[in-house]
Amino acid sequence: MIDDDVIICRCEEITAGEIRKAIGEGARDVPSVKRRTRSGMGLCQGRSCERLVLRLLCEETDANGELLRRDRVRGPLLPVSLGDLAGDSTDAGV
Amino acid sequence: MPGFDVLVVGAGVIGAACAYYAAREGLHVCLLDREDATSGATRACDGDVLAIGQAPGYKSRMARVSQELLSELVSSLDGDLDYKLRGSGLVVEEGQEEFALDWAKRLEESGLPVRYIGRDDALRSEPLLADDVAGMVECDSDSSLNPMELTYSMIRSIRRTPRCEARLQNDVVRILRSGRGQAVGVELASGDRVLGGVVVIACGVWTPRLLATVGREVPIHPRKGHLLVSERTSVMARRKLMEFGYLAAKYDDMPPIDVPDEMQRLGIAMVIEPTGHGNFLLGSSREFVGFDTASNPWVLELMSRRVLRFFPSLARVRMIRSYAGLRPYTPDGMPIVSPVEGTEGLFVAAGHEGSGVALAPITGRLVSEMILNRATTIPVEPLALGRFSGTSPISTAELKEV
């Protein structure tokens, strides 16, 4: 059992207690925990907290973690500068 | 099985507002959703409460009334909504000044605190803007908040109200009618029934599926949009800013922006918005591609280029995430907030395209007034479902050309 005051999402400093509260209000998968708490919205995009969030979901709802929806993979997969995303920076004025 | 006075299907910002205002009137309400709350457009939007981008006239007045309701709503809810009355700006490029001045004048005549400022004033208030912009249309009454928190707060309030409930993870598959054609409840995927004398369908882009169960067509189509999320960073823009050309991507009767065809086809237009947590949202796009919500790297690239045209100094700011969602589009750009003829007690509250957050309070209020047969805060004829009757459903091929 993870104590309520343990930080689960380090980027956004979200505790196990906050995640349990979100589950109590209706979150049932990783994306809905994220929307209710910001867990996974930070710089690492859930790389460190997703497994812990899944564990809390399983503990609180008796769900099977293998079947729970995880966060969708979306680019950019690492922090990327706006200039790089825009492609050729000399063309940035388009 | 106890019956409710009102069932609201769809726990996005619109459905939550409909249920919240009905509960406030003392009606016994049950809000239902097949998933958690905010799992449709409300999870994928930005936090604007804008009147500046609404067509001057009925729609801009509707947005203004909604803003007034929102400030009261925010003060009566718990939760950290990040509500900020920061105003907004439409950034005008050379060649657009005439249209922008006319837009500002018409919005001002409709009662909004709007003005046009020239280049020097625009650059003073937003120092990172490209110095070749022509000016800016500003609106002081525009605000921003966290739309998901707004929804959750309304749901908490509903749950605290006696004999009102929010049942999430309850998948409504059918509207139930009596032999006399009156709405009497809904059926869930589990086979269970929830009974209620009034049924409000607020399912955004999924609204047509439920209305089909009573044989009604509703012209709501998914119009996809992307946003990029920046890392937490120093202030890039002090308030919501959009390029004036955004209106051309949204409305058919505005002159198109001078951008490559590919950008026009994807409805690319610059928006930038500060959030309550120090991240910025950058966009935008607008396209008809069915129910696909994957992030398209090509769209992100074009959006990035368009943002850099207006904010060249942001080239080194890092993006950490993108997301995409589906706006509930209607052919005339107006939402549907209306009873459904032929099924007494059935209402639709959907089709707000990109303005669901801005129009949620007035939508919730209007639905309550219609349920209770009261005089409405604003006229509801322009929002009636019946305005589309007689028109044939739009084909996907036609939509792609809009």
Side-chain angles (χ1 to χ4, degrees), chain A residues 12 25-28 32 34-36 38 43 45 69 71-72 74-76 79-83 85-86 92, chain B residues 35-38 43 152 156 159 169 232 277 279 293-295 301 304-305 315 317-322 324:
Chain A
E12 299 292 314
E25 291 191 3
R28 287 292 178 278
S32 55
K34 173 179 172 174
R35 297 200 299 272
R36 285 180 177 273
R38 294 187 63 80
L43 204 58
Q45 288 293 300
R69 189 185 330 178
D71 208 9
R72 188 167 188 163
R74 288 185 184 271
V80 172
S81 75
L82 194 61
L85 263 183
Chain B
E35 294 188 29
D36 188 13
T38 74
R43 70 149 182 85
Y152 303 141
R156 281 195 292 272
R159 284 176 160 161
Q169 285 87 35
R232 288 183 176 173
H277 294 269
N279 312 83
T293 57
S295 291
E301 178 173 332
S304 303
R305 286 192 209 166
V317 174
R318 293 183 299 173
M319 301 297 120
I320 62 172
R321 175 82 172 170
S322 64

Side-chain angles (χ1 to χ4, degrees), chain A residues 85, chain B residues 224-228 262-263 265-268 283-287 289 294-306 323-324:
Chain A
L85 263 183
Chain B
K224 183 178 180 183
H226 289 75
L227 284 170
L228 279 163
E262 187 62 356
M263 279 200 189
R265 190 180 68 76
L266 295 165
I268 304 291
S284 61
S285 73
R286 213 171 269 272
E287 48 179 337
V289 285
S295 291
N296 178 341
W298 174 232
V299 173
L300 300 182
E301 178 173 332
L302 294 176
M303 275 177 11
S304 303
R305 286 192 209 166
R306 197 59 191 162
Y323 55 88

Side-chain angles (χ1 to χ4, degrees), chain A residues 9 12 14 34 37-47 49 71, chain B residues 321:
Chain A
C9 169
E12 299 292 314
I14 309 300
K34 173 179 172 174
T37 64
R38 294 187 63 80
S39 174
M41 280 194 192
L43 204 58
C44 91
Q45 288 293 300
R47 278 174 183 76
C49 64
D71 208 9
Chain B
R321 175 82 172 170

Side-chain angles (χ1 to χ4, degrees), chain B residues 365-378:
Chain B
R365 165 81 84 100
L366 290 173
V367 167
S368 276
E369 289 167 341
M370 286 191 277
I371 290 170
L372 295 166
N373 269 319
R374 289 193 189 146
T376 51
T377 303
I378 57 170

Side-chain angles (χ1 to χ4, degrees), chain B residues 43-260:
Chain B
R43 70 149 182 85
C45 57
D46 52 28
D48 297 326
V49 185
L50 297 187
I52 198 170
Q54 310 292 354
Y58 179 84
K59 186 116 181 265
S60 62
R61 281 193 296 273
M62 182 181 185
R64 182 72 193 106
V65 172
S66 204
Q67 289 178 336
E68 285 163 7
L69 291 173
L70 182 72
S71 72
E72 185 276 327
L73 176 60
V74 165
S75 64
S76 58
L77 292 172
D78 68 354
D80 183 8
L81 305 183
D82 282 331
Y83 178 65
K84 301 237 164 53
L85 192 56
R86 277 193 271 238
S88 66
L90 286 173
V91 181
V92 178
E93 295 185 88
E94 281 182 6
Q96 296 173 331
E97 297 98 320
E98 200 184 315
F99 296 105
L101 277 163
D102 179 56
W103 187 266
K105 183 164 154 275
R106 285 158 63 205
L107 281 178
E108 199 187 352
E109 283 166 4
S110 82
L112 287 172
V114 166
R115 76 187 74 78
Y116 183 89
I117 59 173
R119 174 183 299 160
D120 292 348
D121 287 333
L123 293 176
R124 252 193 298 278
S125 68
E126 298 290 347
L128 297 188
L129 262 179
D131 59 13
D132 64 342
V133 301
M136 188 149 73
V137 180
E138 292 184 315
C139 179
D140 291 338
S141 67
D142 285 350
S143 58
S144 64
L145 50 62
N146 180 328
M148 295 179 287
E149 278 305 322
L150 172 64
T151 309
Y152 303 141
S153 300
M154 289 190 287
I155 293 173
R156 281 195 292 272
S157 169
I158 291 161
R159 284 176 160 161
R160 283 193 302 264
T161 309
R163 296 188 59 190
C164 291
E165 291 183 33
R167 297 187 188 171
L168 305 174
Q169 285 87 35
N170 276 257
D171 187 6
V172 172
V173 294
R174 200 157 70 87
I175 299 161
L176 300 172
R177 288 192 293 184
S178 70
R180 289 179 296 124
Q182 190 168 356
V184 292
V186 296
E187 184 175 298
L188 307 178
S190 64
D192 291 345
R193 294 174 163 204
V194 184
L195 302 181
V198 169
V199 177
V200 181
I201 305 300
C203 301
V205 295
W206 295 280
T207 298
R209 291 184 191 174
L210 277 179
L211 266 289
T213 68
V214 292
R216 280 302 299 241
E217 280 180 3
V218 187
I220 294 176
H221 303 274
R223 198 175 198 182
K224 183 178 180 183
H226 289 75
L227 284 170
L228 279 163
V229 187
S230 83
E231 63 188 329
R232 288 183 176 173
T233 181
S234 53
V235 172
M236 306 197 284
R238 299 198 324 195
R239 56 191 147 164
K240 171 73 171 209
L241 297 177
M242 293 172 283
E243 64 173 299
F244 187 72
Y246 180 86
L247 302 173
K250 190 172 176 186
Y251 297 110
D252 300 335
D253 55 351
M254 295 290 291
I257 332 173
D258 184 20
V259 293

Side-chain angles (χ1 to χ4, degrees), chain B residues 286-349:
Chain B
R286 213 171 269 272
E287 48 179 337
F288 293 106
V289 285
F291 284 81
D292 167 40
T293 57
S295 291
N296 178 341
W298 174 232
V299 173
L300 300 182
E301 178 173 332
L302 294 176
M303 275 177 11
S304 303
R305 286 192 209 166
R306 197 59 191 162
V307 171
L308 287 172
R309 181 266 170 267
F310 290 94
F311 289 93
S313 63
L314 302 192
R316 297 180 69 178
V317 174
R318 293 183 299 173
M319 301 297 120
I320 62 172
R321 175 82 172 170
S322 64
Y323 55 88
L326 305 170
R327 305 175 182 94
Y329 160 94
T330 66
D332 63 0
M334 297 284 284
I336 301 167
V337 184
S338 170
V340 178
E341 301 137 53
T343 303
E344 200 189 324
L346 180 61
F347 293 83
V348 174

